[in-house]
Amino acid sequence: ARATSRALALPRVQCPNHPDALLVEDYRAGDMICPECGLVVGDRVIDVGSEWRTFTNEKAVKDPSRVGDAQNPLLNGGDLTTMISKGTGAASFDEFGNSKYQNRRTMSSSDRAMLNAFKEITTMADRINLPRNIIDRTNNLFKQVYEQKSLKGRANDAIASACLYIACRQEGVPRTFKEICAVSRISKKEIGRCFKLILKALETSVDLITTGDFMSRFCSNLGLPKQVQMAATFIARKAVELDLVPGRSPISVAAAAIYMASQASAEKKTQKEIGDIAGVADVTIRQSYRLIYPRAADLFPPDFKFDTPVDKLPQL
Amino acid sequence: MDQNNSIPPFQGLASPQGAMTPGMPIFSPMMPYGSGLTPQPVQNTNSLSILEEQQRQQQQQQQQAQQAQQANTGPGTSGQTPQLFHSQTVGGSTTTALPGSTSLYATPLTPMTPITPATPASESSGIVPQLQNIVSTVNLGCKLDLKTIALRARNAEYNPKRFAAVIMRIREPRTTALIFSSGKMVCTGAKSEEQSRLAARKYARVVQKLGFPAKFLDFKIQNMVGSCDVKFPIRLEGLVLTHQQFSSYEPELFPGLIYRMIKPRIVLLIFVSGKVVLTGAKVRGEIYEAFENIYPILKGFRKTT
């Protein structure tokens, strides 16, 4: 962290000739320089850079750095406690081999559960390769929910999974409940319940999911080319606009659209494959496909190259 | 007012609905006659003397007058201020009080709070929600031995490992009762308040015949479920956008929109097909009122294609 010595309190370092000038810090020499006239105003500023340069490929057994991890002030409330670590030399063990100094008390029991939850969130997010911003948002949501204590009785893992779901939605890249279920030990029902409770507790709302949110993920998981993906997106959007599938979940409509687009192209995928990726049953895809099949000709984008013409599409 | 809550002991099981809850019939002659269970203004005198009935009608009129004074509303809407009075006691004998006139909230004494969905002054919907289920509880007033009840009563099942109550069913009215060893009983499945009370009395009589000193204390209706059809498809996405603080629509979790109305406190399940389920009511009037509140909103989100 840059240490600007321009505190709001009394000792204000300023250039005597230019009191309004913002001082520039030169950390190499430890000086504060006035940009207007070049006068060195403050000197012997403490260097806050790192003490050692550590390289990751060095096989140094101990890290000579004497500072710990970066603090996470947003989430942990600025915990500055220290503790005595276990001894390493021979003198720290008594005759039976037990360590002499046994202080394994938890340093912050109030944050213990929260730290555990953060670890769990990071683990879950890593499984589906979620970026750092979603993890940060999830951590923030969890912290808010945890501090509010309105969902105190619920399992922390359930709340963490629901926070992950909400964070993905809020970032505009929603994941289906089934996808979150796949990386969490909590059931979909419980995640759904916690989701609704958290929205109530934090008084936020989320946007409704649309078919287009899932297209790129499902299509690339299936290995479909960009043309097919764009066609499927167009089909699903058109189907919803024409209200051919009232009351159907957007996931099912998306899956049916992918099926129709892939069957019309060279890369044909079966309903079972699409069902596995999307998390919908193949009968569900069949139902939604039956609803959009009659208007298939209208649903395809105008510039689509048909490998199988519209009238030869499978009729289920 | 007291008459609404007390249970006149001399009345038999087959008491007419109107007599039990005189305040309830606020509904116009437009109500479907075929339901047969619609509370009508009290004209039948099955188990009451004529004198009593005249007294009650006078009382109702007094209430009416009181309400009219207090609410300072026109004669047509005299009963329709549910937020000031119990819905039960609303405009008992006014046959012209239509359910739809609750939408005339623009009277000066009824503040347009932001928690109430804004309802334009319009005619009534003409659709009346039908009650599908009533859950009620009653205290039989004595400890019961569930094993003897289960062994000796007909149509009773008891599996203490699964659930700590006897589940008994009767065919008329078709209901199910959960009877607990403390003497408390839950009666579900009836289609009207009177049927629920009648069924609860029947269960109490069964228990009494088995040798327990059963009484009939604190009969209370805990929940009423109604359903109806607005006959047009609804754009749920639009509804959830505008009524975000009341609605929850998650197609992944449930295909219907869950609308939690604050006043009256009713939960409505609204489906794309236009079917609406209302639940959480303690009295029939809350269901009707909630539907009248939601109907103009739903009309605004009618699907045009």
Side-chain angles (χ1 to χ4, degrees):
Chain A
R2 285 182 58 246
T4 56
S5 59
R6 280 180 295 110
L8 294 162
L10 299 163
R12 267 199 80 186
V13 183
Q14 53 197 4
C15 173
N17 302 326
H18 308 99
D20 293 327
L22 292 168
L23 299 177
V24 170
E25 186 181 315
D26 178 10
Y27 64 92
R28 287 188 186 190
D31 297 335
M32 303 276 290
I33 305 174
C34 168
E36 308 275 330
C37 57
L39 180 69
V40 174
V41 180
D43 57 354
R44 288 195 284 271
V45 170
I46 295 174
D47 177 13
V48 295
S50 62
E51 189 181 359
W52 302 95
R53 294 181 304 165
T54 53
F55 299 100
T56 50
N57 54 359
E58 260 187 20
K59 285 189 276 315
V61 126
K62 46 191 177 80
D63 182 13
S65 165
R66 292 186 285 181
V67 298
D69 285 336
Q71 218 183 33
N72 203 342
L74 295 168
L75 299 180
N76 284 31
D79 191 23
L80 291 172
T81 60
T82 59
M83 62 179 212
I84 303 169
S85 62
K86 286 170 72 75
T88 46
S92 62
F93 293 97
D94 59 12
E95 53 260 23
F96 298 111
N98 305 322
S99 56
K100 274 188 190 168
Y101 185 71
Q102 287 149 349
N103 185 15
R104 284 308 298 151
R105 316 257 179 283
T106 58
M107 8 190 258
S108 55
S109 53
S110 65
D111 289 336
R112 177 65 43 195
M114 212 153 72
L115 281 171
N116 260 341
F118 292 159
K119 203 157 76 77
E120 190 61 37
I121 287 171
T122 314
T123 314
M124 284 197 295
D126 272 345
R127 290 196 190 117
I128 40 178
N129 301 318
L130 290 175
R132 189 72 222 171
N133 61 337
I134 293 186
I135 300 178
D136 288 340
R137 194 181 270 267
T138 311
N139 287 346
N140 270 319
L141 285 169
F142 187 88
K143 179 177 190 223
Q144 285 176 35
V145 168
Y146 191 74
E147 285 177 346
Q148 235 201 30
K149 294 196 197 309
S150 47
L151 276 84
K152 196 157 178 209
R154 302 261 167 196
N156 272 343
D157 282 347
I159 300 181
S161 308
C163 286
L164 188 61
Y165 179 82
I166 296 176
C168 293
R169 271 264 217 146
Q170 285 181 340
E171 290 285 326
V173 285
R175 299 292 188 272
T176 62
F177 276 107
K178 291 196 172 155
E179 286 174 314
I180 304 286
C181 262
V183 299
S184 164
R185 64 176 181 88
I186 310 288
S187 67
K188 177 174 179 242
K189 199 156 92 156
E190 186 58 31
I191 300 182
R193 272 201 212 118
C194 288
F195 164 73
K196 285 191 226 170
L197 288 171
I198 293 175
L199 286 187
K200 198 77 188 269
L202 299 182
E203 285 177 9
T204 41
S205 66
V206 287
D207 289 333
L208 209 49
I209 52 176
T210 58
T211 52
D213 296 331
F214 306 97
M215 279 304 173
S216 66
R217 202 159 0 108
F218 290 168
C219 289
S220 43
N221 283 346
L222 287 163
L224 294 171
K226 187 92 173 90
Q227 279 300 99
V228 180
Q229 176 186 324
M230 282 166 46
T233 314
F234 190 87
I235 292 173
R237 206 188 67 222
K238 215 62 202 298
V240 172
E241 272 174 25
L242 297 174
D243 197 29
L244 302 173
V245 283
R248 299 270 159 194
S249 167
I251 320 286
S252 320
V253 177
I258 293 176
Y259 180 68
M260 185 179 266
S262 74
Q263 288 293 327
S265 75
E267 306 262 337
K268 294 183 179 17
K269 299 285 171 192
T270 62
Q271 288 181 344
K272 191 165 177 331
E273 288 175 329
I274 301 177
D276 276 341
I277 299 283
V280 291
D282 54 347
V283 285
T284 311
I285 303 180
R286 211 170 298 153
Q287 295 282 30
S288 300
Y289 181 75
R290 282 201 194 112
L291 290 171
I292 61 176
Y293 181 76
R295 301 281 299 267
D298 302 326
L299 295 176
F300 275 96
D303 54 349
F304 184 70
K305 288 191 185 36
F306 286 88
D307 190 80
T308 312
V310 184
D311 41 355
K312 299 265 194 323
L313 280 175
Q315 191 179 8
L316 301 146
Chain B
M1 277 281 224
D2 293 330
Q3 208 159 14
N4 291 341
N5 296 332
S6 71
I7 302 168
F10 59 83
Q11 283 192 349
L13 289 173
S15 50
Q17 330 126 2
M20 278 314 300
T21 48
M24 276 190 347
I26 61 171
F27 313 106
S28 69
M30 267 167 64
M31 296 269 287
Y33 219 83
S35 67
L37 304 169
T38 313
Q40 300 291 328
V42 177
Q43 297 301 328
N44 41 5
T45 56
N46 286 359
S47 52
L48 294 177
S49 69
I50 311 285
L51 186 59
E52 288 246 5
E53 189 164 320
Q54 282 174 351
Q55 282 177 356
R56 194 176 326 101
Q57 281 189 350
Q58 276 176 7
Q59 217 178 21
Q60 278 177 7
Q61 282 169 6
Q62 279 172 11
Q63 284 174 20
Q64 273 263 281
Q66 257 184 357
Q67 286 175 10
Q69 280 172 9
Q70 288 179 12
N72 199 18
T73 52
T77 62
S78 56
Q80 308 302 330
T81 52
Q83 57 263 47
L84 298 178
F85 304 97
H86 279 302
S87 310
Q88 246 192 357
T89 62
V90 158
S93 54
T94 314
T95 52
T96 56
L98 303 174
S101 46
T102 42
S103 61
L104 294 174
Y105 275 139
T107 56
L109 281 178
T110 64
M112 288 278 278
T113 56
I115 52 173
T116 327
T119 52
S122 60
E123 70 284 1
S124 81
S125 58
I127 306 171
V128 178
Q130 296 303 316
L131 289 181
Q132 303 291 349
N133 184 23
I134 314 257
V135 177
S136 57
T137 54
V138 71
N139 187 2
L140 300 176
C142 63
K143 293 264 174 290
L144 304 173
D145 181 14
L146 297 185
K147 225 161 80 150
T148 51
I149 294 179
L151 285 171
R152 292 171 53 197
R154 269 177 275 190
N155 297 325
E157 59 184 81
Y158 179 43
N159 191 353
K161 284 200 289 268
R162 207 173 60 156
F163 191 55
V166 166
I167 303 167
M168 198 184 292
R169 295 184 171 86
I170 57 174
R171 280 196 207 90
E172 176 55 46
R174 187 171 286 278
T175 48
T176 305
L178 305 173
I179 306 173
F180 293 85
S181 53
S182 61
K184 298 223 170 111
M185 183 171 78
V186 180
C187 172
T188 60
K191 298 273 192 222
S192 88
E193 303 90 325
E194 264 319 299
Q195 280 190 351
S196 192
R197 195 187 172 86
L198 173 65
R201 279 216 189 260
K202 286 193 178 174
Y203 287 114
R205 192 162 49 179
V206 167
V207 169
Q208 200 178 51
K209 287 225 174 107
L210 288 176
F212 298 95
K215 301 183 264 307
F216 200 74
L217 309 169
D218 305 324
F219 175 80
K220 181 168 183 236
I221 291 181
Q222 302 289 356
N223 186 26
M224 301 172 77
V225 181
S227 70
C228 58
D229 187 4
V230 301
K231 305 271 193 307
F232 53 79
I234 302 171
R235 274 185 301 118
L236 298 181
E237 310 81 34
L239 182 55
V240 77
L241 275 175
T242 46
H243 289 77
Q244 244 168 24
Q245 64 262 57
F246 309 113
S247 329
S248 154
Y249 177 44
E250 281 302 317
E252 278 189 89
L253 294 178
F254 188 63
L257 187 150
I258 303 170
Y259 192 102
R260 293 181 188 270
M261 199 178 281
I262 313 270
K263 179 123 197 59
R265 214 163 76 86
I266 300 281
V267 175
L268 299 90
L269 306 176
I270 304 169
F271 295 89
V272 179
S273 57
K275 300 261 191 332
V276 179
V277 174
L278 307 96
T279 182
K282 288 275 193 288
V283 291
R284 187 187 279 252
E286 285 176 2
I287 299 235
Y288 295 134
E289 187 191 334
F291 183 67
E292 291 306 320
N293 286 349
I294 201 80
Y295 187 72
I297 298 169
L298 295 181
K299 273 206 294 198
F301 289 101
R302 185 184 191 138
K303 272 198 190 157
T304 47
T305 51

